Each structure stands twice: as C-alpha cells, then as structure tokens.
Amino acid sequence: MAKAKAESVRETYEQLQKNQDMRQLVQIGKSRDKASKDLTAIKQMKDETGRILHDHGKIIQRWLNYFEKLLNEEKVRVKTEEGGANEGLIMNISRDEVKRALEKMKNGKAVGPDQIPAEV
C-alpha cells in the first residue's frame, strides 16, 4: 500500500511539473493545510445562551471564555470539622520496607518528587 501511495504521489508531481496546473497545486495546498489543523473534530458548539456557533474563531473564543471562567472563579469551601495533626497515628517505615521497595525499582526511570533517582 505504501508503494502504491508513493507511486501515486510521484505521478502527481510529474504531471504537475508538465502541466503547471494551478488548480491541482491549490488543491494540494488546501489538503495539506487541513491535515495540519489540530481542531478538526469540533464543527459546532453552543454558546452561553444556547445558540449554535459554527465559525471556528467564535468556537475558539467560546473555549477561551469557558476556561477563563472555570479557572478564575472562587469556590466556597465548607469546613467540616476541627481537628489536630495525625502525629503518632502512622507507623514508622522500617529499613526492611525501604530495602524491599528499592529492590523493586528499575534503573533509568524518571525521578520522583524528591528528585533523587533510584540508582542513588
């Protein structure tokens, strides 16, 4: 299939060089532009009032407004209980547990929150 596609592309470019057909050049440019776009799945969406948006620019603006509102509004947090720290309720980690955990780790993996690789 790859060979057939490569042959087809080669024939198309040879024909373009012979004929200098601008329509085919424009068609190829449009298809490449369409293939390079990231948002191809969203064709329409509703705005705040329920109207359907079809224009790509208006859809992008709607997403910007949505995320700006979502990420910048304050949420009321309800405090449920007063309580102290949990000191003493968690058992200490033994050397044996650390040794077994380190033996399970693989070398060359990404570091954790402490920025220390397993090899150390």
Side-chain angles (χ1 to χ4, degrees):
M1 190 165 152
K3 288 181 182 179
K5 184 176 179 180
E7 180 65 25
S8 172
V9 169
R10 187 186 60 74
E11 288 175 3
T12 302
Y13 281 118
E14 285 178 2
Q15 186 180 14
L16 283 173
Q17 286 178 347
K18 289 178 188 174
N19 299 338
Q20 296 294 326
D21 190 5
M22 288 303 291
R23 288 180 300 194
Q24 279 188 314
L25 288 174
V26 170
Q27 184 180 10
I28 290 172
K30 283 184 179 180
S31 67
R32 286 187 177 179
D33 180 56
K34 185 177 180 182
S36 70
K37 295 204 186 250
D38 192 22
L39 294 174
T40 57
I42 300 174
K43 303 287 184 194
Q44 64 186 20
M45 71 183 301
K46 292 182 180 178
D47 66 358
E48 297 90 358
T49 62
R51 291 182 299 155
I52 296 177
L53 303 174
H54 296 283
D55 181 45
H56 181 70
K58 289 181 180 179
I59 290 173
I60 296 295
Q61 187 61 43
R62 171 69 176 107
W63 277 115
L64 288 172
N65 293 341
Y66 170 76
F67 283 112
E68 185 175 328
K69 180 182 175 194
L70 179 70
L71 299 174
N72 291 320
E73 70 182 15
E74 283 290 324
K75 301 280 186 187
V76 178
R77 295 192 174 121
V78 179
K79 200 172 194 181
T80 55
E81 292 183 22
E82 292 291 328
N86 289 333
E87 292 181 27
L89 298 178
I90 301 173
M91 295 178 10
N92 292 334
I93 300 171
S94 69
R95 285 184 173 265
D96 189 45
E97 287 175 309
V98 172
K99 184 178 178 182
R100 281 185 277 143
L102 286 173
E103 287 172 353
K104 289 182 183 178
M105 291 183 181
K106 295 179 183 177
N107 290 335
K109 297 293 181 177
V111 296
D114 57 5
Q115 299 298 312
I116 300 173
E119 290 88 354
V120 175

